[in-house]
């Protein structure tokens, strides 16, 4: 194919990709909403600025040299006079890059220590984050609650700063915890405990994703950070601390408990006490299904239980053989777990 056609085709493709609606409600990484992300953003902008200045200077010099000294028809083809050794020039191109690298490494070190050594006030909220193939478990040890994929934290303000300390662990392989608008990535490593903290200053839902390749469904290991006002957070915690809703129909509950689901999932107050899958005690308080871009409702839940491997191939949830009636009963029961 003609080179020009190829270039135009590639440019059109890039434009189409950029114009396409994003699949996820991804936040703007240039709009940090918490202190760690603000610091990271500042040092990134400084780096970008220095690189931009270098690019402009080097680019202009090259362009000038090409235009001014380029070969023209009729020019003499022999090599021009060569210049050897210039202490001034050599010192300049040694000292300037050293200074640049020094400034960049010092500013990075300053941000790193500011984030790492930040004191944790007494009212810091503790959350244990556990990465699983391919979902997130969130445990609040002091509040005695557990949830999945949607991390609720309180809003922080200047008047009332509220920090959340995340203790990161893995149940299987290496994952990465990343909600770009609140903080940098932190690896989630088996047999190792990492920590990070956030203080989101804007209420709302912030999108995150696993940032370390962990298997087939790495891309569908999403997480949502829900930043609640103090009041909303209190309400949410109270609702999560409640015992599981009493079954509207004992038969539906029986169908659930008779299945193998309880071997992996917990519904507080029943004999379903499994720990390998997400806690279902307050399942319907979550907005999405299975760490994906899928809203959680009776219909999606039914599809999911019927054939989890179809929606998210390679995930750890087995397909349980169920009759249509059993499936209906199970969905009817699970959708009462608010
Ligand atoms: Cu977990 Cu990638």
């Amino acid at each position: 194919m003609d080179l020009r056609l190829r270039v135009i085709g590639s440019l059109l493709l890039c434009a189409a990709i950029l114009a396409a609606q994003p699949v996820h409600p991804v936040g703007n990484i240039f709009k940090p909403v918490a202190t760690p992300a603000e610091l990271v953003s500042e040092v990134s902008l400084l780096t970008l600025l220095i690189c931009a200045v270098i690019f402009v200077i080097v680019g202009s010099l090259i362009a000038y040299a090409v235009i001014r000294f380029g070969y023209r028809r009729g020019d003499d083809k022999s090599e021009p006079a060569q210049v050897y050794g210039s202490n001034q020039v050599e010192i300049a191109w040694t000292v300037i890059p050293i200074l640049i690298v020094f400034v960049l490494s010092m500013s990075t070190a300053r941000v790193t220590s500011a984030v790492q050594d930040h004191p944790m006030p007494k009212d810091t909220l503790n959350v244990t984050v556990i990465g699983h193939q391919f979902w997130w478990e969130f445990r609040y040890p002091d509040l005695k609650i557990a949830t999945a994929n949607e991390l609720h934290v309180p809003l922080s303000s200047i008047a009332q700063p509220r920090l959340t300390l995340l203790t990161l662990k893995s149940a299987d392989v290496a994952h990465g915890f990343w909600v770009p608008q609140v903080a940098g990535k932190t690896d989630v490593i088996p047999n190792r405990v990492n920590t990070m903290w956030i203080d989101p200053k804007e209420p709302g839902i912030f999108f995150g994703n696993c940032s370390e390749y962990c298997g087939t469904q790495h891309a569908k290991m999403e997480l949502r950070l829900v930043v609640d006002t103090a009041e909303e957070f209190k309400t949410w915690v109270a609702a999560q601390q409640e015992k599981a809703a009493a079954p509207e129909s004992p038969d539906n509950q029986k169908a659930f408990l008779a299945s193998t689901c309880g071997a992996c999932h917990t519904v507080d107050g029943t004999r379903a006490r499994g720990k390998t899958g997400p806690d279902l005690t307050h399942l319907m308080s979550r907005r999405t299904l299975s760490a994906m871009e899928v809203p959680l409702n009776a219909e999606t839940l039914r599809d999911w239980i019927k054939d989890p491997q179809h929606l998210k191939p390679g995930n750890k949830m087995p397909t349980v053989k169920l009759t249509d009636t059993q499936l209906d009963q199970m969905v009817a029961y699970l959708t009462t777990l608010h």
Side-chain angles (χ1 to χ4, degrees):
M1 210 200 299
D2 185 358
L3 182 67
R4 254 178 300 177
L5 270 179
R6 264 193 253 181
V7 171
I8 292 170
S10 315
L11 287 175
L12 283 176
L13 186 66
C14 291
I17 291 170
L18 287 174
Q21 279 294 100
V23 184
H24 307 301
V26 190
N28 183 352
I29 56 162
F30 295 105
K31 217 173 143 266
V33 299
T35 310
E38 279 164 5
L39 293 167
V40 170
S41 171
E42 275 166 28
V43 81
S44 315
L45 286 178
L46 175 72
T47 310
L48 206 61
L49 187 75
I50 292 178
C51 292
V53 171
I54 295 173
F55 175 77
V56 169
I57 293 174
V58 174
S60 328
L61 286 175
I62 291 176
Y64 172 76
V66 166
I67 295 164
R68 174 78 178 73
F69 304 108
Y71 173 75
R72 285 191 187 78
R73 212 180 295 251
D75 272 1
D76 179 5
K77 275 189 180 168
S78 63
E79 213 175 56
Q82 300 294 298
V83 182
Y84 293 100
S86 162
N87 284 342
Q88 277 137 319
V89 173
E90 280 169 23
I91 287 170
W93 75 44
T94 308
V95 171
I96 295 173
I98 287 175
L99 284 178
I100 293 172
V101 170
F102 182 75
V103 168
L104 286 179
S105 46
M106 282 300 117
S107 45
T108 307
R110 191 186 62 84
V111 164
T112 308
S113 70
V115 173
Q116 270 178 3
D117 306 336
H118 194 280
M120 290 294 124
K122 268 214 169 72
D123 67 344
T124 300
L125 172 72
N126 284 300
V127 183
T128 306
V129 175
I130 304 165
H132 294 258
Q133 283 176 312
F134 304 95
W135 61 282
W136 297 98
E137 179 178 355
F138 302 119
R139 298 197 159 267
Y140 298 66
D142 309 327
L143 304 171
K144 308 244 173 320
I145 55 183
T147 186
N149 307 324
E150 290 169 24
L151 170 62
H152 283 252
V153 300
L155 181 71
S156 182
S157 61
I158 297 167
Q160 206 183 355
R162 223 28 237 288
L163 264 64
T164 301
L165 179 69
L166 305 174
T167 303
L168 309 171
K169 297 175 180 178
S170 167
D172 35 50
V173 299
H175 302 274
F177 183 94
W178 195 31
V179 180
Q181 279 184 277
V182 294
K185 298 172 184 175
T186 306
D187 279 348
V188 179
I189 308 282
N191 301 318
R192 192 194 148 85
V193 177
N194 280 339
T195 57
M196 63 185 284
W197 62 276
I198 54 175
D199 61 342
K201 298 164 196 172
E202 217 177 85
I205 300 176
F206 299 93
F207 184 80
N209 206 332
C210 180
S211 59
E212 184 78 56
Y213 183 73
C214 54
T216 331
Q217 292 298 343
H218 156 71
K220 285 186 188 160
M221 187 168 164
E222 299 172 5
L223 71 117
R224 281 163 183 75
L225 174 73
V226 184
V227 181
D228 293 324
T229 60
E231 207 49 46
E232 286 168 347
F233 186 69
K234 230 165 129 189
T235 313
W236 179 79
V237 169
Q240 298 293 312
Q241 282 173 333
E242 270 174 31
K243 284 264 166 283
E248 282 168 20
S249 148
D251 281 349
N252 292 345
Q253 191 194 39
K254 238 180 252 166
F256 172 78
L257 293 174
S259 72
T260 49
C261 306
C264 297
H265 296 280
T266 291
V267 176
D268 213 10
T270 73
R271 61 166 197 275
R273 307 223 54 93
K275 293 280 181 233
T276 42
D279 189 303
L280 302 179
T281 312
H282 298 285
L283 173 68
M284 297 311 285
S285 69
R286 308 202 273 263
R287 296 166 171 84
T288 52
L289 176 82
S290 185
M292 292 189 292
E293 193 64 23
V294 173
L296 176 58
N297 56 45
E299 202 184 321
T300 54
L301 190 60
R302 195 176 195 283
D303 284 351
W304 171 252
I305 300 169
K306 194 171 178 190
D307 187 4
Q309 295 303 318
H310 171 71
L311 271 163
K312 200 172 175 181
N315 84 81
K316 296 285 171 73
M317 171 133 156
T319 309
V320 180
K321 282 258 175 294
L322 296 168
T323 64
D324 276 352
T325 321
Q326 284 172 316
L327 191 57
D328 288 339
Q329 285 181 312
M330 206 166 283
V331 172
Y333 171 61
L334 290 172
T335 46
T336 63
L337 301 175
H338 284 280

